[in-house]
Amino acid sequence: MTAVVKHATRKPLEITNATAEQARARNSRLREQFPPRTAERWWSQTAQSSEETLRHLTAPPFLPAANGTRAGRRRGVTKLLHWLSSQPGDTWQQRWMATGAEGLCGAAWVELPQRWLSERGPSPSHDREDLTSGLLMLICGDVIRPALPWMLTRTHRYLASVMAEVRDPDGFARLHQLAAAGPASSRKDAQIAATRIATLLACKGGRIGDITVGDCVELVDNQRRVHARGGQKKVDFYLRLRAMGIFPEDAPATIRAFGLALGQLSIEELVDRYPIQSQPVRDVIVDYLRERQPSLDFASLDAISRTLAGLFWARIEALSPGIDSLRLPPAVALAWKDDLKVKKRAVVGSDGKSVEVTSPRLNAKDELMRVRAFYLDIAQWAAEEPARWGPWAVPCPISDDEIHKAKERKRRKARMDQRTRERLPVLPILVSTTDRRRREAAGLLQAAGDTEPGALIPGTGGALRRAIAPKAAGHLIWAEEISSGRRRNLTYEEEEAFWAFATIEVLRLTGVRNEELLELTHHSVTQYRLPSTGEVVPLLQIAPSKTDTERLLLVSPGLADVLSAIISRLRGLSGAVPLVAAYDVREKVWNPPMPLLFQRGIGSEHRAFTPTAIRKLLINALAATGLTNADGEALSFSPHDFRRIFVTDAIMNGLPPHIAQVICGHKNIDTTIGYKAVYPVETIEAHRAFIARRRASRPSEEYRIPTEEEWDAFLAHFEKRKVSIGTCARAFGSPCIHEHACVRCSLLRPDPAQRARLAEIRDNLIARIAEAEREGWLGEVEGLQISLAGAEEKLRQLDRGHGQHTAVDLGIPTTRGDR
């Protein structure tokens, strides 16, 4: 029912979509590099006579095995040729265009020849079916080539199969072999892709090997224009053609590079986004940005252009029409500064009317700093090039006092500290809930996969049953709620739960930025061999991002578990992580294909996660926890919150700030100290106290080669760590703070083999507590309860760690030269 509604709501061909026109203008250089084939006006098949065309289309390979089908196609071709012969033109293509049939969507074109034939004689009841079969023969026989927009409004049940028989048997055979080598769940996608490819042959002529990258781009542009359905299936055909090797090597890895991403704009295009009336001022802004372009990345260049052209000069012209000088009248400058302090946006009220709402602009001083830099740079350049910049060197309307940000920095620090204080205590809840959600989703998907369609899913208490979805993609498993009848995509739920878990774990265990998370690849997992012991240490290589500084992070056991789960999930049949071409949303460029760790399959294409997708994962994960803030609203986490929590937690647990600075990749230690949710004085004092304690505990005379007696004492200390229920992890030379009450000590690492002994100790403590309460020995109850709590915690620690530390081969990747 849904598909019928979507099909019925398509807009007529003459109504164009503005976004389609914008898409054609995007990535003009790439489109110029890969143009589509131009429509031919003449070719041999369309210039044949009526007798030659009929003879050609009723001879092999146009003869189907079924007699009824063969007769119907012959009748249809005869009637269509008779109808087209009445139209003006020298070729069948010209006559077809003269009919105006392509002005009618879908199957409505049949009414034109049917009406013409009925006026000239009796109309059999099967005229409509014959005409449709006849048109299929004319198209597959390359007699006529309809336009792409019109072809996309029609259904083509037999187009691919007939094209495979009469036009390009070898090409479609290779396409079929490619589909057979893929998973069985993608067979339906392969059929749709074959129809898209056959549509290109119908409209452009030739064979599959003649299809160009530009032809595919033109098809996708027209799909957007006529709202053709299919989702990812709209572009799946491009991936299959590229896999067949018919495109050049420099063809983009995905067709989305031609329209779904804006690409880098030139400086003129960045400035001309805003209606600047004064051409001289517009030109000086362009020249200024061009001067600064070599030292800026595209994101910074984009931000400065928005400030100078949009927030600054476009608003100055609105306040003072006709102004053409950077020397601003004091009244105009003051009005602009007041206007800059607030943001205005239109919202729809409860009555349906649009209302303008204002809010403070938090980065107003940042915008002022960019404008002030604009004036000061021009003044400095005027001394070096007076002829070029001298006419524009005027007093800056923004004083130095107006851009002081000490108070704003304190307020921002207070806001960020408050966010960290709210989120740090509840992080364990988020982590445990996300892990439980992942396990439950995986178990439900496994149970549903083992259940026959229509049967109840075990373990759901009769609340869910395996849904019967014959039109769903083969790799998806659907369930239906018994009470409400609502359908649930269990495959999607499991995928979302897993990636939410992986995102949260990697962010909290590494403290990386969001863009660094999305740039992690299989090659990021590396190793280092300690020269002293020869031990191999796993490391995670963080690619340069914000500070253009590469760094290495130590992979903890927990992080290793998460990375191994990600890599195991992504590995295909070949054992390699798929290569994905990702779009950099900041730099507006496509990166080369890389084995990204954060990628997912959409249809038959692997796509990299985007920042928006990461935010959605966090929102859904937090919704499952039910956590709220002090105002009772749903608590939100941004990817950067995990970075601040990581720094705060590390420094609070004794990590020196300068080490945290290196781990986080900060250029300035003040940035690292600012991330910790405490006052800077407290951090500095804590750091100094740490250094003083280290100097006191490690006097200079100890930094020498130890004697044999000292080394034997050191080794003997570790031999004394072994106790009946595990191993003591206290530092060398430190006394036991619990007076050898090991079951209470947090430094005890219980041995899984001694779980039975721990359970026996717990049961004995319970019995002793009961005896003490019964006999009135209240002095012993409190101490026994502390010991009982310690024993139960050790048992829970063993249960949590059970099965989570199995060795997994991460598959250290090799360079291309080593393969």
Side-chain angles (χ1 to χ4, degrees):
M1 184 62 185
T2 305
V4 175
V5 173
K6 287 183 178 179
H7 183 76
T9 55
R10 290 181 183 173
K11 296 181 179 180
L13 291 179
E14 61 269 17
I15 300 179
T16 60
N17 192 341
T19 58
E21 300 300 329
Q22 296 171 0
R24 293 188 184 93
R26 295 173 181 171
N27 296 312
S28 56
R29 294 180 183 176
L30 197 59
R31 289 172 179 266
E32 291 173 359
Q33 182 182 357
F34 299 100
R37 288 180 288 172
T38 57
E40 298 181 3
R41 296 186 177 182
W42 187 94
W43 60 94
S44 59
Q45 290 88 340
T46 192
Q48 293 178 344
S49 65
S50 178
E51 293 78 11
E52 292 174 331
T53 302
L54 181 61
R55 184 165 52 252
H56 173 63
L57 298 181
T58 55
F62 293 90
L63 294 179
N67 293 332
T69 304
R70 185 163 58 246
R73 290 179 177 178
R74 182 182 182 89
R75 290 194 302 267
V77 170
T78 303
K79 293 174 183 178
L80 283 182
L81 292 178
H82 189 201
W83 170 57
L84 291 175
S85 299
S86 66
Q87 305 297 325
D90 298 329
T91 63
W92 296 113
Q93 179 69 14
Q94 294 174 358
R95 298 176 188 126
W96 166 257
M97 299 304 297
T99 64
E102 292 188 5
L104 302 175
C105 297
W109 71 274
V110 179
E111 298 174 2
L112 297 179
Q114 197 171 19
R115 188 185 311 117
W116 187 88
L117 292 171
S118 62
E119 292 174 354
R120 284 154 181 79
S123 177
S125 60
H126 47 71
D127 263 353
R128 194 177 189 91
E129 291 77 10
D130 291 347
L131 293 173
T132 302
S133 299
L135 181 64
L136 179 64
M137 292 296 100
L138 293 180
I139 291 175
C140 294
D142 205 19
V143 177
I144 63 174
R145 295 176 183 175
L148 271 174
W150 182 75
M151 284 290 288
L152 293 174
T153 64
R154 305 179 61 244
T155 56
H156 306 286
R157 183 177 179 183
Y158 302 106
L159 181 62
S161 59
V162 176
M163 279 287 187
E165 294 174 0
V166 305
R167 180 77 67 89
D168 189 6
D170 294 337
F172 279 92
R174 290 178 56 199
L175 193 65
H176 178 72
Q177 292 174 359
L178 182 65
S185 59
S186 64
R187 301 292 167 80
K188 186 176 181 180
D189 296 346
Q191 295 175 1
I192 297 175
T195 301
R196 303 290 188 199
I197 295 171
T199 302
L200 282 177
L201 301 186
C203 300
K204 294 288 186 176
R207 303 189 176 191
I208 291 180
D210 300 322
I211 296 176
T212 66
V213 174
D215 293 341
C216 300
V217 177
E218 185 179 0
L219 174 59
V220 173
D221 286 344
N222 281 282
Q223 284 179 314
R224 297 194 189 101
R225 180 186 172 196
V226 300
H227 304 279
R229 296 166 295 168
Q232 171 63 17
K233 301 178 182 64
K234 291 182 182 180
V235 298
D236 181 57
F237 72 96
Y238 179 88
L239 303 174
R240 298 179 184 273
L241 289 174
R242 192 174 187 276
M244 291 174 64
I246 68 172
F247 294 155
E249 293 184 359
D250 58 345
T254 172
I255 201 171
R256 293 182 292 118
F258 289 90
L260 296 183
L262 184 60
Q264 287 190 354
L265 301 178
S266 65
I267 292 179
E268 289 79 3
E269 291 172 331
L270 290 173
V271 175
D272 291 340
R273 292 178 297 179
Y274 306 96
I276 296 179
Q277 303 299 324
S278 175
Q279 187 66 25
V281 175
R282 178 260 183 198
D283 293 341
V284 77
I285 294 177
V286 170
D287 290 344
Y288 173 78
L289 292 174
R290 185 168 286 110
E291 285 289 326
R292 295 201 58 188
Q293 185 177 17
S295 62
L296 299 174
D297 57 17
F298 181 79
S300 301
L301 191 68
D302 183 24
I304 295 175
S305 68
R306 291 178 185 274
T307 300
L308 299 181
L311 290 178
F312 175 52
W313 195 253
R315 297 196 178 191
I316 290 294
E317 289 185 337
L319 295 170
S320 179
I323 188 171
D324 60 356
S325 172
L326 294 180
R327 188 183 296 271
L328 304 182
V332 175
L334 182 60
W336 170 71
K337 294 173 188 176
D338 291 338
D339 182 63
L340 186 67
K341 293 179 181 178
V342 297
K343 295 188 299 183
K344 300 177 182 179
R345 59 189 180 93
V347 298
V348 179
S350 57
D351 55 355
K353 296 182 180 180
S354 180
V355 181
E356 188 177 70
V357 178
T358 61
S359 59
R361 187 184 300 276
L362 299 179
N363 66 333
K365 289 195 175 182
D366 293 329
E367 308 294 349
L368 290 176
M369 290 176 64
R370 289 173 181 160
V371 177
R372 178 173 169 81
F374 172 63
Y375 275 86
L376 297 184
D377 286 341
I378 290 179
Q380 181 180 352
W381 297 345
E384 303 170 358
E385 298 182 68
R388 180 182 181 187
W389 300 104
W392 298 100
V394 297
C396 179
I398 303 169
S399 65
D400 187 57
D401 293 336
E402 292 178 287
I403 61 173
H404 282 173
K405 299 178 61 177
K407 185 180 296 184
E408 284 72 14
R409 290 193 184 98
K410 292 180 180 179
R411 292 175 179 174
R412 183 178 61 182
K413 180 67 167 62
R415 291 196 305 269
M416 293 300 100
D417 286 354
Q418 182 60 26
R419 284 184 64 92
T420 303
R421 293 189 190 102
E422 284 183 347
R423 287 155 180 77
L424 180 57
V426 300
L427 182 59
I429 300 176
L430 175 61
V431 171
S432 60
T433 303
T434 306
D435 186 34
R436 183 175 65 253
R437 177 169 170 249
R438 170 184 68 100
R439 296 178 182 275
E440 291 175 353
L444 181 59
L445 179 64
Q446 180 65 37
D450 297 337
T451 304
E452 293 294 328
L456 294 178
I457 300 176
T460 63
L464 287 177
R465 65 183 172 194
R466 174 82 179 269
I468 303 175
K471 294 185 178 181
H475 67 283
L476 300 180
I477 296 178
W478 290 79
E480 184 178 347
E481 295 180 353
I482 302 297
S483 59
S484 62
R486 184 176 69 93
R487 286 193 172 186
R488 292 169 51 183
N489 187 343
L490 300 185
T491 305
Y492 174 79
E493 290 181 6
E494 189 276 336
E495 182 179 69
E496 183 192 41
F498 174 83
W499 287 114
F501 162 79
T503 298
I504 292 173
E505 288 295 296
V506 174
L507 286 175
R508 79 176 184 90
L509 293 174
T510 62
V512 296
R513 302 178 181 91
N514 192 26
E515 59 268 27
E516 294 170 342
L517 172 81
L518 299 179
E519 292 175 0
L520 291 177
T521 69
H522 195 190
H523 299 291
S524 300
V525 183
T526 183
Q527 61 184 10
Y528 174 71
R529 187 177 297 275
L530 296 176
S532 58
T533 63
E535 180 184 359
V536 176
V537 178
L539 298 175
L540 188 64
Q541 184 179 18
I542 306 301
S545 60
K546 183 176 180 180
T547 59
D548 290 333
T549 303
E550 186 180 54
R551 63 189 192 275
L552 292 170
L553 302 181
L554 181 65
V555 176
S556 64
L559 180 59
D561 287 344
V562 177
L563 293 177
S564 65
I566 293 174
I567 294 173
S568 300
R569 186 183 184 91
L570 294 178
R571 276 175 171 165
L573 299 177
S574 63
V577 176
L579 301 180
V580 175
Y583 181 69
D584 191 329
V585 295
R586 292 178 57 83
E587 292 300 310
K588 303 295 189 291
V589 294
W590 285 89
N591 295 322
M594 295 181 293
L596 296 176
L597 294 185
F598 280 82
Q599 59 171 283
R600 56 182 172 179
I602 299 179
S604 58
E605 181 183 14
H606 287 269
R607 291 190 187 180
F609 276 89
T610 62
T612 301
I614 294 296
R615 287 195 295 269
K616 289 182 178 179
L617 289 176
L618 295 180
I619 290 173
N620 294 336
L622 283 162
T625 64
L627 295 172
T628 58
N629 57 18
D631 298 330
E633 300 175 349
L635 192 64
S636 64
F637 268 78
S638 70
H640 215 71
D641 285 328
F642 293 96
R643 184 170 173 83
R644 295 181 179 276
I645 291 174
F646 175 83
V647 174
T648 300
D649 184 62
I651 296 179
M652 287 177 60
N653 285 279
L655 185 69
H658 65 280
I659 301 300
Q661 174 194 356
V662 175
I663 293 176
C664 293
H666 291 149
K667 287 185 175 180
N668 195 325
I669 195 171
D670 292 337
T671 304
T672 309
I673 294 175
Y675 270 38
K676 186 178 184 296
V678 292
Y679 296 105
V681 175
E682 178 187 346
T683 304
I684 295 172
E685 291 178 352
H687 189 198
R688 287 178 176 176
F690 168 82
I691 295 175
R693 290 194 305 271
R694 183 174 60 184
R695 288 176 177 173
S697 60
R698 299 287 184 183
S700 59
E701 58 268 16
E702 287 192 5
Y703 290 91
R704 55 179 174 77
I705 299 176
T707 63
E708 292 294 333
E709 293 77 11
E710 291 171 337
W711 183 248
D712 292 339
F714 177 74
L715 296 178
H717 164 81
F718 292 98
E719 294 177 357
K720 295 178 180 179
R721 285 184 176 185
K722 187 68 176 176
V723 295
S724 62
I725 56 177
T727 304
C728 180
R730 71 181 186 274
F732 171 70
S734 61
C736 178
I737 61 174
H738 290 297
E739 297 181 356
H740 304 284
C742 298
V743 77
R744 303 182 180 184
C745 184
S746 60
L747 295 178
L748 174 70
R749 299 177 63 89
D751 184 1
Q754 301 299 326
R755 193 185 189 285
R757 181 184 292 272
L758 268 173
E760 182 181 352
I761 293 174
R762 178 199 57 190
D763 297 340
N764 180 264
L765 287 170
I766 293 174
R768 290 179 61 187
I769 291 173
E771 180 186 9
E773 291 176 345
R774 184 175 61 254
E775 299 294 336
W777 304 331
L778 301 182
E780 292 188 11
V781 171
E782 183 177 359
L784 292 173
Q785 288 177 341
I786 295 175
S787 298
L788 177 61
E792 291 177 340
E793 174 59 28
K794 294 300 179 295
L795 287 171
R796 286 194 295 268
Q797 184 177 347
L798 288 176
D799 294 338
R800 285 195 302 268
H802 179 68
Q804 294 185 2
H805 301 287
T806 56
V808 177
D809 180 18
L810 294 179
I812 302 299
T814 60
T815 60
R816 293 183 181 272
D818 297 335
R819 294 177 181 175

